[in-house]
Amino acid sequence: RDEADKLERLRAAGRKVWPMGALKEVHGRRYLQRASGLELFLEGGRTVFFNFNGAPGDVGVAYREIVALRRRKHLRRHYLFDGGRELARSGLTEEWASRRITNLDYLMALNTLAGRSYNDLTQYPVVPWVLSDYSSPSIDLADPRVYRDLSWPIGAQTEERRDKLHERHDNFVDDTIPPFHYGTHYSTCGYVMWYMIRMEPFAASGVNLQGGRFDCPDRLFWSVEDAYKNCTTTMNDVKELTPEWYFCPEFLQNKNRFDLGETQGRGRVDDVVLPPWANGSAAEFVRINRQALESEHVSANIHLWIDLIFGCKQKGQAAADATNVYYFLTYEGAVDMDAIADPVVRASMEAQIADYGQTPHQLLHKPHPPRKPASTVPRPVFFDPDLFGAPLAGSVFRQHPKGLDADPAERFRGDDTLTEPARQFGGIASHEVMKASDFQEGVAFVSWCGDRNVVSVSSFGELRSWDWDGRDHKGGRPFSMAMQEASLRIKLTKGRSAMQVAKSVAKSVRGLVQTGELTFERELSVGPAGRCFGGSWQRRFAVMKGRSGLSSNMLLSAGHADGSVAAFSVKEGVPVLAQRVRMHRSAVTCLAVVLDPDGGPSSLVTGGTDGTARVWDLTTPQGGGIGSEGEAASFKQMGKQPLSSTPRAVLSGHRQGVTCVCGDASLGLVASASHDGTCVLHLLQKGAYVRTIQHPVGASVELLALSREGLLTMYSSVDGALHLFDVNGDRLTSSRVLGDPLTVMSLSQGGLALLTGSAGGRVAMLCARTLCTCHVFPAFPDPSPVLALACSPCGAF
C-alpha cells in the first residue's frame, strides 16, 4: 500500500511512472546513428523509448541499473547493441524455418532485434512489397508472375534498372562520399508519414513537417498501383512498406475526414485508390496482401530479402553485387557523432541522417537459411493458405442479394450445402473421428494444459486429467490419450445430467447443490441454441496454467450462488478447494483467463448478472502442485493467493447481465457481451473504455471470440449468424455456418481458425479472418449438443 501511495504522489507531481514488475524486455537502441537509447517493453504491449543525450556511457549505466533492479531471471530478453547475438540464441530462425511462426511474425521479430521501433519514425519497422500486380480485376496467388522478385531490392526489379544503377555507382567519384546506387533509402521518416497520413499521430507529424498544412495534394499517397510503379520505375523512389500494409486497413481510409485537397487532374484526395481485385474494400486488400505474404512462393524466397535488409548482402561487396548500396550516412558506424565538436556541423549531420533514413543493424553475416518446404513439416491446418484464402462475405453459402443490409430473417437462404470438398489435414482424414474414451455423461468443459495434458469436466462434475501425446504411433494412430488414475469429482447436479436435460428442449431444472463449502445455483435450460447452465458450459470454467506441468494448474469455476469464483486443485487424488473469492454482487455468469504470450502474469476476466465485467490479477504457481508442500510454501513466502481479492478494474457499459467475456494480452483488450445486444471493449491493464459495438439486430450476444489480429466474432441465436467486426467497430462480414443453432465457439491457439459446435452435434472449422467455412465435421450417429471445444496447442487436433 505504501508503494502504491508513493506512485500516486509521483504521478500527481507530473512524473512518468512505470511499474518495474511490468518490465519484460530491455533493448539497446541507436538514435540518429548514436548508441544512446534504451527501449523498454512492458506488459500489455506498451513500450517506452529513452534517448540519453549526455555522455556516451550514460546508456550503459542506465541499462545495468534497470536490469539489476528487475533481476535478470524476470526478463525475457535484454541486451544492449548486439541484436545478432540475441537472434542466434533465441531460436527464432529455427521456429520460422519449421513453420511454427508466420512470415510476418518473424519479420517483426527481426525488425525489433535490428533496432527498428514504432517509437522512432526514422527507424520504423520495414517489410517488403510482395505483389507486383495491382491492376488486374482478379489475382491468382498461386501464379509466381504476380509477385515481385525478392532477391533484388525494390528499386532494382528489372535488368534495365539494375544496369542504370550500376552505372551510377561505378561512375560516382567523390573524395568524402563513397559510391552508392541510391541517393535515398527504402525507409525514412518522410516515407512513413506519406503512407500513414490518414491516421494520427502521423497526420499531425506530417502537418508539422509541412509548416502547418498537409503536403500538396498531387504529392500525397493516392493509389496503391501508382505507389508501386514509382518505386520500380523512378530512380529517386525506392521505399518498401510499413507493417500496417499487412494488418491495418484503416491506414488506407480517410476515416478522420481530413481535407487533403484536390489534385490537378484526378479529383479530391480521400481514401487510397485500391487495386481492382480488392473490390473497393480496404479490409479485403489487406487480407489478400497478408495471404500473399504467407504464401508458399514468398515463404520460399523471403530469406533472400532478409539477406538484403538484415543480412549478408547489406554491406560490402555483396551489397554492391546485389545493387543494394545506399547513401553512406544511412549505415551504422558511418560517422562518430560524439567526435563532432562543432554544434552546427553536428546538427547538420543529424538532419541529414533523419532525412536519408537509417539502415537496420546487421543481424547476419552468412546467407539466411530458407524455410523448410511445407510438405516436410507437420503444421497446423490454419497455416494452410489454400484453406484460408477464400474472399470475405460468404463464399460457401448463398446470401441475400441485399447482403448485410437485408432483413435478418431474409438474409440467408438456400439449403446450406457446402460447395467445397472435404480436405485432408493433420495426418487424419478430416471426416474421421477418433474417440478417446467413453463417458456415461456428457463432457461440459475441456482444455489443454500445455502440450502434454488435457483436463475435462463432465456434466456430472467429474474432473479428469489426461496424458496427451500428439506424435504418430503404431497402427497409424496419430495421437494417444490416456486418463490418469487420479480424478476428482465436483458434484454439480443431482438427478439428470446436463446432456439429459439438453435433450429435453425448452425444459428447465433449477437446483441447489452443496459441495463442501460451495453452493452452486444454476438453471439448466435448453432453448433454441441447446445451451445449458444459463449459457455455454465452456464459459463457466477456465484453466489457470502453472509453470511446472499439470500439477500446478488450477480449474476455475463460476456460477456459484454467492457470486464467487472457486479455484480447484488436486492433492493426492482428492478434490481441494484452493481458494474462493466473491467477485460480483450476484452470480458470475462467465469467466476467461487471458494468458500473457510471453509468459508474464495472467489475468482473469469475469462477467456477472450485475451487468459488469471485472479484471483480476492471477498469481501463477511457480513450482510444485497446488496443495503440495512446495506450492504452499511458495505462496506463503509470497504472502499471496492465486486469486486476488480485489479487482484491477471494474468494466461497465452494459444495461443488462453479461453473457460472455474474452480478451487478448497482445492486443491489451478485453471484450464483454450482454443480453442488451452490445459488446464493449476496454483496455486490459487500465480498464479504460474503448468503444461499444452493437449487434446488427440488437440481439442478445451468446458467443464471443477475440483473435490476436483484432477481429471480433459474435453470435446470437436470434438471427443465427456469425458477425465479424474489427476492433474499430467496422463490420467486415456475416455468415451462417450450420443449419443448427450454435452452442459453443472457440479459437485455435494461433487465433486463425474458428471452431463452432452446434445443437445438432456438428463441428465446423472456419477462417477467423473471413468466416469462410473450411470444413464441417459430420455429427455423431446419436447427435447431441456440442458443449465443449478446444484446439490443441500445435493446432493439428
Side-chain angles (χ1 to χ4, degrees), residues 312-332:
C312 62
K313 295 182 180 180
Q314 186 194 89
K315 299 177 183 178
Q317 186 58 45
D321 295 340
T323 325
N324 194 40
V325 180
Y326 298 84
Y327 190 69
F328 80 104
L329 281 181
T330 69
Y331 291 95
E332 177 184 327

Side-chain angles (χ1 to χ4, degrees), residues 611 651-655 669-674 676-683 688-696 698 701 704 712 714 725-731:
L651 317 178
S652 58
H654 297 294
R655 299 185 302 274
L669 290 176
V670 171
S672 59
S674 169
D676 62 12
T678 61
C679 174
V680 182
L681 297 177
H682 290 84
L683 296 182
Y689 171 81
V690 178
R691 65 176 43 85
T692 298
I693 301 174
Q694 185 76 37
H695 186 277
V701 179
L704 190 67
L712 187 74
M714 62 175 69
F725 294 82
D726 61 27
V727 292
N728 291 315
D730 292 330
R731 183 169 46 151

Side-chain angles (χ1 to χ4, degrees), residues 454-494:
V454 176
V455 63
S456 65
V457 180
S458 75
S459 53
F460 275 160
E462 185 174 11
L463 171 63
R464 294 183 180 181
S465 57
W466 308 76
D467 291 321
W468 164 268
D469 189 346
R471 298 172 296 182
D472 290 339
H473 292 268
K474 294 181 179 179
R477 188 177 178 88
F479 69 88
S480 68
M481 187 172 175
M483 186 176 67
Q484 296 179 352
E485 293 184 4
S487 65
L488 68 97
R489 181 178 292 274
I490 307 170
K491 193 69 175 177
L492 292 181
T493 183
K494 292 180 178 179

Side-chain angles (χ1 to χ4, degrees), residues 154-228:
I154 190 64
Q157 287 294 290
T158 65
E159 189 69 34
E160 180 183 1
R161 289 263 289 177
R162 291 193 287 273
D163 289 342
K164 291 181 178 179
L165 291 166
H166 280 297
E167 182 180 355
R168 169 194 277 180
H169 178 275
D170 296 341
N171 294 331
F172 185 86
V173 178
D174 191 281
D175 293 336
T176 58
I177 300 176
F180 54 84
H181 294 114
Y182 312 98
T184 181
H185 202 254
Y186 48 78
S187 177
T188 70
C189 175
Y191 290 167
V192 173
M193 289 186 287
W194 189 79
Y195 279 137
M196 307 295 294
I197 195 65
R198 292 163 176 80
M199 294 181 66
E200 293 289 10
F202 308 97
S205 298
V207 168
N208 183 62
L209 182 67
Q210 297 297 326
R213 59 178 178 81
F214 287 106
D215 197 3
C216 173
D218 288 284
R219 291 203 297 262
L220 293 177
F221 180 24
W222 164 272
S223 159
V224 173
E225 182 181 5
D226 288 352
Y228 182 78

Side-chain angles (χ1 to χ4, degrees), residues 713-728:
T713 306
M714 62 175 69
Y715 171 83
S716 174
S717 59
V718 173
D719 63 348
L722 289 166
H723 300 284
L724 183 67
F725 294 82
D726 61 27
V727 292
N728 291 315

